[in-house]
Amino acid sequence: MAEKTGAKVFETAADLANDAGVDALFIFVPPFAHGDAERAALSANLPFFIEKPIGLDEGFMDEIAAEVENLGLLTSVGYMTRYRKSVQRAREILQEEQPIMAFGGWWGGSPGDHPWWTDKAKSGGQFHEQATHTVDLARYLFGEAVEVFAYSANGFNKGIPHYTMDDAVTVAIKFANGGIANLMASCSSNAGGSLFMDVHSLNHNFHFTEWDHHVVIKAKGQDPEEIKGEPGIFGIEDQVFVDAVRSGDRSGILSPYADGVKSAKLSLASNRSLETGKPVQL
C-alpha cells in the first residue's frame, strides 16, 4: 500500500515523531497497545490526537497527563459525539438546569473471531472500549462521577475464539451533582442492536438515538425540538484538531487528554466493581 501511494513508512513511533516533516501525531492503537506512541509524541513535543479509550493502565494515563500539562502540549481525544449539534444543545440547557437521571446503552450482536477486542485483558471489555462514547456523553452532560456499581451477564455467548468479555454489563453511576445514571453494554443481542440515551432534568427530557445521536428535546409546556445528527462527524472532529494545531487556538477542542483520562477511569472503575462485587469510589 505504501509503495502504491508513495507514503513514507516508519519502523517505530519514535522514528515518525522525530521526522522533520511531522507537525502532529494521530494515535490509533488498541487499548492494550498504548505507550510508545504517547512517549514519542512527548519526547518530540508534538501535539497529538488519540482515539478512545486512551488506555487500560491508570498509572500510565496519569503519567502522560502530567507530562502533557507540564509541556503545555495540545491534545485531543476521539470523543466525536461531543461535537454534535444535538449534544451541544442538550449541554447548553443542562448547564442551566441540572440533569437528574440518564438511562442508555450500546447493544450489539455476538462478535466473531477477533484477536484483541473480545479479549477483555486487551480491550477492557465492551463497556470500556465501545460504550465509552455513552459513558463520556454522560460525563459531558452531568459532570464528574463519584461512585459506580456494576453487574454483568456471562455464559450466554459460546464458542467464540479469544472471548473473555462479559456478554452484557449494567452500571449504576452517581454523579457529584447528585444525578444518577444507568448505562449498559451488550454484545449478545443478535435480533438487533441499539444505541440510545435518555436524560431528564426537572423540566426537560432528552432522547438521543442511533449512531448519529439524533435528539428529541421535550420541554414542559413547549413543542418538542428535534435536531438531526450530522454526517461526517469524524471529519468534523479531526478538522477541529488540525485547525488548533495550525492556529494554536485550543478553544474548539472539547476533550483534551486529561479529560479523556476521566472517561477511561470511569469505565475501568466498572470493571473493578465487577471483580469485587462492591461499589467503587472515584
Side-chain angles (χ1 to χ4, degrees), residues 75-149:
T75 59
S76 182
V77 181
Y79 286 114
M80 72 284 176
T81 300
R82 293 187 177 207
Y83 295 88
R84 294 192 181 280
K85 292 177 182 178
S86 59
V87 171
Q88 286 301 311
R89 176 61 176 143
R91 181 174 163 85
E92 177 186 23
I93 294 170
L94 293 173
Q95 291 293 297
E96 301 296 326
E97 183 179 305
Q98 287 289 296
I100 298 171
M101 188 178 76
F103 174 71
W106 193 303
W107 297 4
S110 302
D113 184 2
H114 196 293
W116 65 264
W117 194 78
T118 52
D119 183 345
K120 191 173 181 178
K122 292 183 176 180
S123 67
Q126 185 191 17
F127 192 76
H128 180 65
E129 200 285 326
Q130 188 177 59
T132 183
H133 288 295
T134 304
V135 172
D136 183 75
L137 177 56
R139 273 195 60 243
Y140 194 53
L141 298 180
F142 278 76
E144 300 311 326
V146 296
E147 184 176 277
V148 303
F149 185 70

Side-chain angles (χ1 to χ4, degrees), residues 171-183:
V171 181
I173 305 171
K174 182 178 181 180
F175 293 93
N177 80 322
I180 56 175
N182 189 309
L183 304 181

Side-chain angles (χ1 to χ4, degrees), residues 136-239:
D136 183 75
L137 177 56
R139 273 195 60 243
Y140 194 53
L141 298 180
F142 278 76
E144 300 311 326
V146 296
E147 184 176 277
V148 303
F149 185 70
Y151 283 107
S152 64
N154 298 281
F156 296 92
N157 282 327
K158 301 180 187 300
I160 301 173
H162 312 108
Y163 187 86
T164 58
M165 291 203 306
D166 306 294
D167 298 335
V169 173
T170 182
V171 181
I173 305 171
K174 182 178 181 180
F175 293 93
N177 80 322
I180 56 175
N182 189 309
L183 304 181
M184 301 163 289
S186 173
C187 55
S188 52
S189 179
N190 294 325
S194 178
L195 196 167
F196 73 98
M197 191 162 82
D198 290 345
V199 181
H200 81 75
S201 58
L202 276 176
N203 297 306
H204 289 82
N205 289 345
F206 307 83
H207 181 53
F208 292 97
T209 55
E210 302 178 27
W211 166 260
D212 289 337
H213 284 75
H214 310 303
V215 71
V216 175
I217 303 173
K218 295 181 180 179
K220 182 180 179 181
Q222 300 179 26
D223 292 333
E225 176 183 358
E226 184 173 1
I227 303 172
K228 293 290 187 180
E230 53 274 86
I233 193 63
F234 292 117
I236 293 170
E237 172 190 60
D238 290 348
Q239 192 62 56

Side-chain angles (χ1 to χ4, degrees), residues 25-87:
L25 293 184
F26 280 77
I27 301 174
F28 301 118
V29 297
F32 71 91
H34 287 280
D36 289 347
E38 291 93 329
R39 291 191 176 101
L42 293 172
S43 178
N45 202 24
L46 282 176
F48 65 87
F49 179 101
I50 184 168
E51 257 305 344
K52 59 76 209 169
I54 60 174
L56 299 174
D57 185 330
E58 294 186 27
F60 168 75
M61 291 186 288
D62 286 339
E63 172 192 331
I64 298 299
E67 189 61 19
V68 165
E69 183 177 6
N70 181 55
L71 292 172
L73 205 59
L74 189 158
T75 59
S76 182
V77 181
Y79 286 114
M80 72 284 176
T81 300
R82 293 187 177 207
Y83 295 88
R84 294 192 181 280
K85 292 177 182 178
S86 59
V87 171

